[in-house]
Amino acid sequence: MRILMLNPNMTEAMTDRLVETAARVASPGTVLSRATAPRGFPYISSRAEAQIAGAITLEMLSERQGQFDAAIIAAFGDPGLVAARELFDQPVIGMSEAAMLTSLMLGKRFGIVSFAARMAPWYEECVEMHGLMGRCAGVFCLDEPFTSVADVASEKSEALVGLSTKAIAGGADVIILAGAPLAGLAAEVAHLVPVPLVDQAQAALKQAETLAALKPHKARAGRFQRPPAKPSHGLARVLAARISHDDDPSSGGKHG
Amino acid sequence: MRILMLNPNMTEAMTDRLVETAARVASPGTVLSRATAPRGFPYISSRAEAQIAGAITLEMLSERQGQFDAAIIAAFGDPGLVAARELFDQPVIGMSEAAMLTSLMLGKRFGIVSFAARMAPWYEECVEMHGLMGRCAGVFCLDEPFTSVADVASEKSEALVGLSTKAIAGGADVIILAGAPLAGLAAEVAHLVPVPLVDQAQAALKQAETLAALKPHKARAGRFQRPPAKPSHGLARVLAARISHDDDPSSGGKHG
Amino acid sequence: MRILMLNPNMTEAMTDRLVETAARVASPGTVLSRATAPRGFPYISSRAEAQIAGAITLEMLSERQGQFDAAIIAAFGDPGLVAARELFDQPVIGMSEAAMLTSLMLGKRFGIVSFAARMAPWYEECVEMHGLMGRCAGVFCLDEPFTSVADVASEKSEALVGLSTKAIAGGADVIILAGAPLAGLAAEVAHLVPVPLVDQAQAALKQAETLAALKPHKARAGRFQRPPAKPSHGLARVLAARISHDDDPSSGGKHG
Amino acid sequence: MRILMLNPNMTEAMTDRLVETAARVASPGTVLSRATAPRGFPYISSRAEAQIAGAITLEMLSERQGQFDAAIIAAFGDPGLVAARELFDQPVIGMSEAAMLTSLMLGKRFGIVSFAARMAPWYEECVEMHGLMGRCAGVFCLDEPFTSVADVASEKSEALVGLSTKAIAGGADVIILAGAPLAGLAAEVAHLVPVPLVDQAQAALKQAETLAALKPHKARAGRFQRPPAKPSHGLARVLAARISHDDDPSSGGKHG
Amino acid sequence: MRILMLNPNMTEAMTDRLVETAARVASPGTVLSRATAPRGFPYISSRAEAQIAGAITLEMLSERQGQFDAAIIAAFGDPGLVAARELFDQPVIGMSEAAMLTSLMLGKRFGIVSFAARMAPWYEECVEMHGLMGRCAGVFCLDEPFTSVADVASEKSEALVGLSTKAIAGGADVIILAGAPLAGLAAEVAHLVPVPLVDQAQAALKQAETLAALKPHKARAGRFQRPPAKPSHGLARVLAARISHDDDPSSGGKHG
Amino acid sequence: MRILMLNPNMTEAMTDRLVETAARVASPGTVLSRATAPRGFPYISSRAEAQIAGAITLEMLSERQGQFDAAIIAAFGDPGLVAARELFDQPVIGMSEAAMLTSLMLGKRFGIVSFAARMAPWYEECVEMHGLMGRCAGVFCLDEPFTSVADVASEKSEALVGLSTKAIAGGADVIILAGAPLAGLAAEVAHLVPVPLVDQAQAALKQAETLAALKPHKARAGRFQRPPAKPSHGLARVLAARISHDDDPSSGGKHG
């Protein structure tokens, strides 16, 4: 099965980190491909940036249709997830969604632990969007400067372990170290944290495999059926084609 | 006070309708300006389209900074609202937000009545985003073909009155006729509906006046402070400048 | 348009303060009238007092029917609001309701900050009555003696700013300085608080203008239709007449 | 133990019915006294009427202090309950509260079944006030004329049984026949309804006995401590004395 | 009326304590019988233990059918309650359920105070099972060693009073001292705690009397009707008979 | 990785069905073992039966410790899940839990469709236990006789497809055909249902693989740490040993 790790951020090193971490738990037979945002931001950290990056995510998925059995939107916060799930035929999974759902099987409440206070509102809204506030012990973020997004996992490793302890005191039974730059950190610090840790990239890979194995067909009814063909102006060509149904040879195109 | 009626749809006639309807209840001294999306869709009706149009809304607001005291995102569903509220210094209001909040002063539960079933998931998520499900009696949509978005208000006037009756039976104390193409319809059919009707364009105008009059300062703390300067690639120039803080003469720009 | 500022407390100086504060943001053409409770309490601060003052509010509104286009119940806690909305034909707005709804357009969660711990249960129940707990960061009250209700705004100005900071740390994106004695304080301390402040009297005035401009008709169905005529014994004459429909020349009275 | 059955309605026959029904399940040693509202309404059926009757309830309780070990506010909807619980030293129980809490021990969700559609909004708000919506299958009301409140129980007996069946289909595991005029009906129709019925008057009597037996002391902290002494103007003398603490010999009165 | 105090724990001294405490508030005419678990655990304190003890509770009830008018499952956490309510014809009440429902008539939020941190998850799930989280200020547990379960009430009396104060600061209007070993402690420390205390054993006895007096018939519809006859293998004989309906002489047995 | 499919029902044919269905989506390298309840019920269908079967599930898991990397409790309703998760070191997953979490990645709300009305209360409580009511469109059950549990999937195939259509009309975006006897049916009818179907056995297998691959360590803090050693009486020997920590060679046993 072909899984696409789609990084809505522009930083290649982050994609490397996500793919390498995920690959460690891939099943035999899983082929993991990758994509890094060609435009947008080095690292998304606000809801304004996520609004824009979510639209770019749709462009990236349009370009890769037919090339994956399931795709992962690999930014915690899941930019563009609902739109993508509506628009595309193959399963699309959010990295935070996957981490949260996986953590639910290991405890009553998960705690989200991350490295920068400004991500908290976005992450909280992500938890709400998924309807999981009742099973979330909170979003716990460091509020101190760091040198670079690339190295924040190692630089702040100890502080994040400390913050995990606070999350546990606050009711967390499982910890998610959140934000693409922290992919892979869980394995390194698991022995220092007294509750299970869920790695977001690995959880996402396994959940993508799950959906690819189950092969659900695209909804033809309900909230996630494909929207009817719609003309547009000024969009990336492949995305416009997806939206106008001109990507669909059998349809002959709905709008000329 | 200067109020901007910003239509994230590309259809000028719809902007006309919104502005004319709103102008009927404007206070003396209110100057109502307008903007219509230069790219995107004739009429947004899915969450995928809203993801894209929300990003375009940010471009439109960036271009008009300093030209308004409060802005209205005049598409029911409020595309880009949270992002805009984070990014800009002046109050930004969603048309559905304004209609819902206004309706809360007229009843316990509002009913949203609209003309096309495919808008329902988007509208429902909008109600959830605003945390108002507990005061919403439901989203009630016609499920029948219509000739054109431009004329749907008059074509379906009678059917929408009938659907309002169903919404009342379902617990609605107030009715919102939702979707920009229905702006102005409330006044025409109010005598046919036994509960108050709230016109979305008029509610939005009055709420924009409210905020413009109260002159709240931009948050410097909490969830809606402006995100720190961030470089970007491939965005509309004015939006990139807003995000990199290069639009701010006093800052000298954070990113060259 | 004629707006009635109805103070359910007996203190005239408090009514002065409310009217003066509100007048600063009134639209041209707004005529602001006033009423102060002729009986009841100098200042309501418990739910028992609110139960009684709410009934007195109904008497005050009965006496002034036909003299306003919208009325404000100007005590935080909104005594008698639901009853008044049911009983009268013109829009009636609660001052806390108006402040809360207005604040929702400026942040995700509002914080209510006030000067006396004993108001907290009443204010909390008011938030619950309006179904807005999910958007409230909490009710934060000073718990220290003050000299007089008349001067508490200036006496405790600094302490209230300090408490606002705690409310922000507790998740508030907007602050409401609550309780009629604090009307007008927001403008004085806005520069000291890093999130927007909403003045309750001004928000109430603007929301009353909003409803007066929209001219919703009285509900003839749903939860807020006028109750059928009912005889009574021992009530204020005008209120009894409103309840028995004897105030309505066209009805001829339902009960002799 | 002395239990006061306090009827906030003015109809003596209704008080008779409540007392007779309750007496059938009284413990040996229980002395059941009674009070009927001296002013207000023959039968409360709106929230406006409940606002007023709730204040009258406080007067009635003030007059009878020291004469009961627990009091029942015997109108479904519990007018004045929160205020009374705050103001008085002995336990005060609402008749709908008692019926609902008792029903929780017999099923997951209770259904409220009553005889007039116009009571529904008030009863629903009562369920919400008690925070029990999650365990309520709904408020089900007949919507048809009836001859008199005095005889509605027998006149509509069959229709109410039919409506109970609808409530069961709607998820009710227990039925409460609600509204003082229906006191005693449960015993007559229990064999016709396939789920347990809870009689409101009997549940209230047993819950009042429960509290009277447990002898909880009055709260001196928290939301239900007695409010500090407060002067007033224009209130019933005994109620004013209770509020000013002049009813309390040991205090010497706080306000002359 | 015959009330069964059923202790799912194996410790006789605990049953003594429960029965003696309850007997102090019993009505004249109440006959209080008792049962102590013949197998299982000395004292249940985890959800795994409650899963097992709940099944044993069903055996104990099966053996005593026809010998009680109402039964109390006298372990805080209510092991087996839902199953018992489904399976048996007479009312069965949980001790925590009774304590919580009783406390709701004395305040808005109750606080659960207990002596061992490891009970907290179980007690919290019990509150959730009853749908009462919105009226619970929290579960507050000591986290310190104690000598024996038998003497923990007197050993930790002072610490539990201190913890009650924290619960009040956390929003509790009423305190429940939870866990069978604390039965009877409320009366001893009530004067030291400024809000009402509810004794779990006494509340349970009074609520059992309430249901026994109301004599509700067994549900023949809804969620609590008796499950159809079912064969089983390896269960206690009386429980198997109850489940196969072979305990019912009139049925002739459904499964031979 | 070794996955245990544990059937809490006594019917071997049902275990066959579950294992065969799951095996179709197993990853290379997955070894799927099986267990069928040695005592209890042929097929659990009430909460009383689930209370008992949940305790038996703990016995079955105790016997197989060290023989699996993750275990599935393969009865919809998840009997004993919370207890098992507390008690054992390896991940334990409920079949309904797995189906629901998987379905969340395919739609906003899942619908549970099953073949017998009497399962509905149990299944609903299972959804509540997992905190997922907000994402559940409802539990939809046939209410008509069927020949045997073994053949109900084929006998009622058409009726279940029809009921799925009702669930979709009621808001379901994904359908779970629930109850062990329906394992494998999803693949057969997927083409007849316009939204994705999630097969419970396959979802459970993939989620078990997910946890086995992630290798979370057992919680040493929070709600799911292992309870301290506890003596017991009358339990199955291996279960008693697990509970007394005598199964743990390194501990030397806590209770002799």
Side-chain angles (χ1 to χ4, degrees):
Chain A
M1 55 186 76
R2 302 164 303 163
I3 308 295
L4 171 62
M5 181 72 77
L6 184 158
N7 182 6
N9 301 293
M10 295 182 69
T11 309
E12 279 288 349
M14 212 174 279
T15 318
D16 293 345
R17 187 175 186 111
L18 290 161
V19 166
E20 280 160 27
T21 302
R24 277 175 221 137
V25 296
S27 292
T30 291
V31 178
L32 186 52
S33 66
R34 50 186 286 162
T36 305
R39 63 186 193 94
F41 307 95
Y43 183 59
I44 309 162
S45 59
S46 74
R47 291 160 297 176
E49 292 153 23
Q51 176 77 49
I52 296 162
I56 293 167
T57 295
L58 300 182
E59 296 173 14
M60 295 170 71
L61 285 165
S62 297
E63 280 165 14
R64 286 162 182 85
Q65 279 184 76
Q67 300 172 20
F68 57 84
D69 298 309
I72 297 162
I73 299 181
F76 212 88
D78 299 344
L81 177 63
V82 170
R85 191 163 283 162
E86 188 182 65
L87 202 55
F88 298 100
D89 293 346
Q90 293 77 24
V92 182
I93 299 166
M95 187 163 72
S96 45
E97 177 185 44
M100 292 190 288
L101 297 181
T102 302
S103 74
L104 295 184
M105 296 180 284
L106 294 166
K108 186 179 178 70
R109 295 207 185 89
F110 57 84
I112 293 176
V113 170
S114 195
F115 60 91
R118 75 182 45 113
M119 253 98 80
W122 180 31
Y123 288 0
E124 283 170 12
E125 289 177 13
C126 179
V127 180
E128 289 177 3
M129 180 182 80
H130 289 292
L132 297 174
M133 285 309 278
R135 298 202 55 189
C136 178
V139 176
F140 302 81
C141 292
L142 296 179
D143 193 9
E144 54 188 49
F146 55 89
T147 311
S148 82
V149 165
D151 299 323
V152 70
S154 54
E155 182 185 350
K156 296 295 178 186
S157 166
E158 201 173 331
L160 290 163
V161 166
L163 193 56
S164 296
T165 305
K166 280 192 196 162
I168 295 166
D173 301 314
V174 201
I175 297 291
I176 300 168
L177 297 171
L182 302 188
L185 180 60
E188 294 171 31
V189 299
H191 63 291
L192 301 172
V193 178
V195 301
L197 289 170
V198 167
D199 188 279
Q200 55 194 337
Q202 295 184 343
L205 188 274
K206 296 310 287 182
Q207 296 297 354
E209 285 182 357
T210 291
L211 292 193
L214 296 182
K215 294 192 177 55
H217 65 66
K218 169 69 179 174
R220 297 184 306 272
R223 288 181 193 79
F224 286 96
Q225 54 186 306
R226 183 176 178 186
K230 176 79 62 92
S232 68
H233 183 80
L235 269 56
R237 197 185 49 78
V238 285
L239 178 55
R242 180 72 197 157
I243 291 174
S244 64
H245 291 208
D246 287 312
D247 67 327
D248 180 357
S250 69
S251 77
K254 293 300 186 311
H255 293 271
Chain B
M1 57 186 74
R2 303 164 303 164
I3 308 296
L4 171 63
M5 181 72 76
L6 185 158
N7 182 6
N9 301 295
M10 294 182 70
T11 309
E12 279 288 348
M14 211 175 281
T15 318
D16 294 346
R17 188 175 187 110
L18 291 161
V19 166
E20 281 160 27
T21 302
R24 277 175 221 138
V25 296
S27 292
T30 290
V31 178
L32 186 52
S33 65
R34 52 186 285 163
T36 304
R39 64 187 192 93
F41 307 96
Y43 183 60
I44 309 162
S45 59
S46 74
R47 290 159 299 175
E49 292 154 23
Q51 176 78 49
I52 297 162
I56 293 168
T57 295
L58 300 182
E59 297 173 14
M60 294 171 72
L61 285 165
S62 295
E63 281 165 14
R64 287 163 182 83
Q65 280 182 77
Q67 300 172 21
F68 57 84
D69 297 309
I72 297 161
I73 299 180
F76 212 89
D78 298 346
L81 177 63
V82 170
R85 192 163 281 160
E86 188 182 66
L87 202 55
F88 297 101
D89 292 346
Q90 292 78 23
V92 182
I93 299 166
M95 187 163 73
S96 46
E97 177 185 44
M100 292 190 288
L101 297 181
T102 302
S103 74
L104 295 184
M105 295 181 284
L106 295 165
K108 186 179 179 69
R109 295 208 184 87
F110 57 84
I112 293 177
V113 171
S114 195
F115 60 92
R118 75 182 44 112
M119 253 98 82
W122 181 29
Y123 287 0
E124 283 169 13
E125 289 176 14
C126 179
V127 179
E128 290 177 4
M129 179 182 82
H130 288 293
L132 297 174
M133 285 309 278
R135 296 201 57 187
C136 178
V139 176
F140 302 81
C141 293
L142 296 179
D143 194 10
E144 54 188 47
F146 54 88
T147 311
S148 82
V149 166
D151 299 322
V152 71
S154 53
E155 182 185 350
K156 295 294 178 188
S157 166
E158 200 171 333
L160 291 164
V161 166
L163 193 56
S164 296
T165 305
K166 280 192 197 163
I168 295 166
D173 301 314
V174 202
I175 297 291
I176 300 169
L177 296 172
L182 301 188
L185 179 61
E188 292 171 31
V189 300
H191 63 290
L192 302 173
V193 179
V195 302
L197 289 170
V198 166
D199 187 280
Q200 55 193 338
Q202 295 184 343
L205 189 273
K206 297 311 286 183
Q207 296 298 353
E209 286 182 357
T210 292
L211 292 194
L214 296 182
K215 293 191 176 58
H217 66 65
K218 170 70 180 174
R220 297 184 306 272
R223 287 181 193 79
F224 285 96
Q225 55 186 306
R226 184 176 176 185
K230 176 79 62 89
S232 67
H233 184 78
L235 270 56
R237 198 186 50 76
V238 285
L239 178 54
R242 179 71 197 160
I243 290 173
S244 64
H245 291 209
D246 287 311
D247 68 325
D248 180 359
S250 71
S251 78
K254 294 301 186 310
H255 293 270
Chain C
M1 55 186 75
R2 301 163 304 163
I3 309 296
L4 170 63
M5 181 72 78
L6 185 158
N7 182 6
N9 300 294
M10 294 183 71
T11 309
E12 279 287 350
M14 211 175 281
T15 318
D16 294 345
R17 187 174 187 111
L18 289 161
V19 167
E20 280 160 28
T21 302
R24 277 176 220 137
V25 296
S27 292
T30 291
V31 178
L32 186 52
S33 65
R34 52 186 284 163
T36 305
R39 63 188 193 92
F41 307 95
Y43 184 59
I44 310 162
S45 58
S46 75
R47 291 160 297 175
E49 293 154 24
Q51 176 77 48
I52 297 162
I56 293 168
T57 295
L58 300 182
E59 297 173 15
M60 294 171 71
L61 285 165
S62 296
E63 281 165 13
R64 287 162 181 85
Q65 280 183 77
Q67 301 173 20
F68 56 85
D69 298 310
I72 297 161
I73 299 180
F76 211 89
D78 299 345
L81 176 63
V82 170
R85 192 163 282 162
E86 188 182 65
L87 201 56
F88 297 101
D89 293 345
Q90 293 77 24
V92 181
I93 299 166
M95 187 163 73
S96 45
E97 177 185 45
M100 292 190 288
L101 297 181
T102 302
S103 74
L104 295 185
M105 296 181 284
L106 294 165
K108 185 178 179 71
R109 296 207 185 89
F110 57 84
I112 293 176
V113 170
S114 195
F115 60 93
R118 77 180 45 111
M119 254 98 81
W122 181 30
Y123 287 1
E124 283 170 13
E125 289 177 14
C126 178
V127 179
E128 289 176 5
M129 179 182 80
H130 289 292
L132 297 174
M133 286 309 278
R135 298 201 57 187
C136 177
V139 176
F140 301 82
C141 292
L142 296 178
D143 194 9
E144 53 187 51
F146 55 89
T147 311
S148 81
V149 166
D151 299 322
V152 70
S154 54
E155 182 185 350
K156 295 296 178 188
S157 165
E158 202 173 330
L160 290 163
V161 166
L163 193 56
S164 296
T165 305
K166 280 192 197 164
I168 295 166
D173 302 314
V174 201
I175 297 292
I176 299 168
L177 296 171
L182 301 188
L185 179 62
E188 293 171 31
V189 299
H191 63 291
L192 301 173
V193 178
V195 302
L197 289 170
V198 166
D199 188 279
Q200 55 194 338
Q202 295 184 342
L205 187 276
K206 297 310 287 182
Q207 295 297 353
E209 286 182 356
T210 292
L211 291 194
L214 296 183
K215 294 191 177 55
H217 66 65
K218 170 68 180 175
R220 297 185 306 271
R223 288 180 192 80
F224 286 96
Q225 55 186 307
R226 185 176 177 185
K230 176 78 63 90
S232 67
H233 184 79
L235 269 56
R237 196 187 49 76
V238 285
L239 178 55
R242 179 72 196 158
I243 290 173
S244 64
H245 291 210
D246 288 310
D247 67 327
D248 179 359
S250 70
S251 77
K254 295 300 185 312
H255 294 271
Chain D
M1 58 186 71
R2 303 164 303 164
I3 308 296
L4 170 63
M5 182 71 78
L6 185 159
N7 182 5
N9 300 295
M10 295 182 70
T11 308
E12 279 288 350
M14 211 175 281
T15 318
D16 293 345
R17 187 176 187 109
L18 290 161
V19 167
E20 280 159 27
T21 302
R24 278 174 222 138
V25 295
S27 292
T30 290
V31 179
L32 186 52
S33 65
R34 52 185 284 163
T36 304
R39 63 186 192 93
F41 306 95
Y43 183 59
I44 309 162
S45 58
S46 75
R47 291 159 298 175
E49 292 154 23
Q51 177 77 48
I52 296 162
I56 294 167
T57 295
L58 300 182
E59 296 173 15
M60 294 170 72
L61 285 165
S62 296
E63 281 164 14
R64 286 162 182 86
Q65 281 183 77
Q67 300 172 19
F68 57 85
D69 297 309
I72 296 162
I73 299 180
F76 212 88
D78 299 345
L81 176 62
V82 170
R85 192 163 281 161
E86 188 182 66
L87 202 56
F88 298 100
D89 292 347
Q90 292 77 24
V92 182
I93 298 166
M95 187 163 73
S96 45
E97 176 185 44
M100 293 189 288
L101 297 181
T102 301
S103 74
L104 295 184
M105 296 181 285
L106 294 166
K108 186 178 179 69
R109 296 208 183 88
F110 58 83
I112 294 176
V113 170
S114 196
F115 60 93
R118 74 182 45 112
M119 254 97 81
W122 180 30
Y123 287 0
E124 283 169 12
E125 290 177 13
C126 178
V127 180
E128 290 176 3
M129 180 181 81
H130 288 292
L132 296 174
M133 285 309 277
R135 298 203 55 189
C136 178
V139 176
F140 302 82
C141 293
L142 296 179
D143 194 10
E144 53 189 48
F146 55 89
T147 311
S148 82
V149 166
D151 300 321
V152 71
S154 54
E155 182 185 350
K156 295 294 178 187
S157 167
E158 201 173 331
L160 290 163
V161 167
L163 193 56
S164 296
T165 305
K166 280 192 196 163
I168 294 166
D173 302 314
V174 201
I175 297 291
I176 300 168
L177 296 171
L182 302 188
L185 180 60
E188 293 170 31
V189 300
H191 63 291
L192 301 173
V193 178
V195 302
L197 289 170
V198 167
D199 188 279
Q200 54 193 338
Q202 295 184 342
L205 189 274
K206 296 311 286 183
Q207 296 298 352
E209 285 182 357
T210 292
L211 292 193
L214 296 182
K215 293 191 176 57
H217 66 64
K218 170 69 180 174
R220 297 184 307 273
R223 287 181 193 80
F224 285 95
Q225 55 186 306
R226 184 176 178 186
K230 176 77 64 86
S232 67
H233 184 79
L235 269 57
R237 198 186 49 77
V238 284
L239 178 55
R242 179 71 197 159
I243 291 174
S244 65
H245 291 208
D246 287 312
D247 68 326
D248 180 358
S250 71
S251 78
K254 293 302 185 308
H255 293 270
Chain E
M1 56 187 74
R2 303 164 303 163
I3 308 296
L4 170 63
M5 181 73 77
L6 185 158
N7 182 7
N9 301 293
M10 295 182 70
T11 310
E12 278 288 349
M14 211 175 281
T15 318
D16 294 345
R17 188 177 186 108
L18 289 161
V19 167
E20 281 159 26
T21 302
R24 279 176 219 137
V25 296
S27 293
T30 291
V31 178
L32 186 53
S33 66
R34 52 185 285 162
T36 305
R39 63 186 193 93
F41 306 96
Y43 184 59
I44 309 162
S45 58
S46 74
R47 291 160 298 177
E49 293 154 23
Q51 176 78 48
I52 296 162
I56 294 168
T57 295
L58 300 181
E59 297 172 15
M60 295 170 72
L61 285 164
S62 297
E63 282 165 13
R64 288 162 182 85
Q65 281 183 76
Q67 301 172 20
F68 56 86
D69 298 309
I72 297 161
I73 299 181
F76 212 89
D78 299 345
L81 176 62
V82 170
R85 191 163 282 161
E86 188 182 66
L87 201 55
F88 298 100
D89 293 345
Q90 292 77 23
V92 181
I93 299 166
M95 187 163 73
S96 45
E97 176 185 44
M100 292 190 288
L101 297 182
T102 302
S103 74
L104 296 184
M105 296 181 285
L106 294 166
K108 185 179 179 71
R109 295 206 185 88
F110 57 83
I112 293 176
V113 171
S114 195
F115 60 92
R118 76 180 46 112
M119 254 98 81
W122 180 30
Y123 287 1
E124 283 169 14
E125 289 176 14
C126 179
V127 179
E128 290 176 4
M129 180 182 81
H130 289 293
L132 296 174
M133 285 310 278
R135 297 201 57 188
C136 178
V139 176
F140 301 82
C141 293
L142 296 179
D143 194 10
E144 53 188 49
F146 56 88
T147 311
S148 81
V149 165
D151 300 322
V152 69
S154 54
E155 182 185 350
K156 295 296 178 186
S157 165
E158 199 173 333
L160 290 163
V161 167
L163 193 55
S164 295
T165 305
K166 279 192 197 163
I168 296 166
D173 301 314
V174 201
I175 297 291
I176 299 168
L177 296 171
L182 301 188
L185 180 60
E188 293 171 31
V189 300
H191 63 291
L192 301 173
V193 178
V195 302
L197 289 170
V198 167
D199 188 279
Q200 55 194 337
Q202 296 184 342
L205 187 275
K206 297 309 287 183
Q207 296 298 352
E209 286 182 356
T210 291
L211 292 193
L214 296 183
K215 293 191 177 56
H217 65 66
K218 170 68 180 174
R220 298 184 306 271
R223 287 182 194 79
F224 285 96
Q225 55 186 306
R226 184 176 177 185
K230 175 80 62 89
S232 66
H233 184 79
L235 269 55
R237 196 186 50 77
V238 285
L239 178 54
R242 179 73 197 156
I243 290 174
S244 64
H245 291 209
D246 287 310
D247 66 328
D248 180 0
S250 70
S251 77
K254 294 301 184 311
H255 294 269
Chain F
M1 56 186 75
R2 303 165 303 164
I3 309 295
L4 171 63
M5 181 72 77
L6 185 159
N7 182 6
N9 300 294
M10 294 182 71
T11 309
E12 278 288 349
M14 212 175 281
T15 318
D16 293 345
R17 187 176 187 108
L18 290 161
V19 166
E20 281 159 27
T21 302
R24 278 175 221 137
V25 296
S27 292
T30 291
V31 177
L32 186 53
S33 64
R34 51 185 286 164
T36 304
R39 63 186 193 94
F41 307 95
Y43 184 58
I44 311 162
S45 58
S46 74
R47 291 158 299 175
E49 293 154 23
Q51 176 78 47
I52 296 162
I56 293 167
T57 295
L58 300 182
E59 296 173 15
M60 295 170 71
L61 285 165
S62 296
E63 280 165 14
R64 288 164 181 83
Q65 280 183 77
Q67 301 172 20
F68 57 85
D69 298 309
I72 296 161
I73 299 180
F76 212 89
D78 298 345
L81 176 63
V82 170
R85 192 164 280 161
E86 189 182 64
L87 202 55
F88 298 100
D89 292 346
Q90 292 77 23
V92 181
I93 298 167
M95 188 164 73
S96 46
E97 177 185 45
M100 291 189 289
L101 297 182
T102 303
S103 75
L104 295 184
M105 296 181 283
L106 293 166
K108 185 179 180 69
R109 296 206 183 89
F110 56 84
I112 292 176
V113 171
S114 195
F115 60 92
R118 76 182 44 112
M119 253 99 81
W122 180 29
Y123 287 0
E124 283 169 13
E125 289 177 13
C126 178
V127 180
E128 290 177 4
M129 180 182 81
H130 289 292
L132 296 175
M133 286 307 279
R135 297 203 56 188
C136 178
V139 176
F140 301 82
C141 292
L142 296 179
D143 194 9
E144 54 187 48
F146 55 89
T147 311
S148 81
V149 166
D151 300 322
V152 70
S154 53
E155 181 185 350
K156 295 294 178 188
S157 166
E158 200 172 332
L160 291 164
V161 167
L163 194 55
S164 297
T165 305
K166 280 192 196 163
I168 296 166
D173 302 314
V174 201
I175 298 291
I176 299 168
L177 296 172
L182 301 189
L185 180 61
E188 293 171 31
V189 299
H191 63 292
L192 301 173
V193 179
V195 302
L197 289 170
V198 166
D199 187 280
Q200 54 194 338
Q202 295 184 342
L205 188 274
K206 296 311 286 182
Q207 295 298 352
E209 286 183 356
T210 291
L211 291 193
L214 296 183
K215 294 190 176 57
H217 65 66
K218 170 70 179 173
R220 297 183 307 272
R223 287 181 193 79
F224 285 95
Q225 54 186 307
R226 184 176 178 186
K230 176 79 62 89
S232 66
H233 184 79
L235 270 57
R237 196 187 50 78
V238 284
L239 179 54
R242 179 70 196 159
I243 290 174
S244 65
H245 291 209
D246 287 311
D247 66 326
D248 178 0
S250 70
S251 77
K254 294 301 186 308
H255 295 271

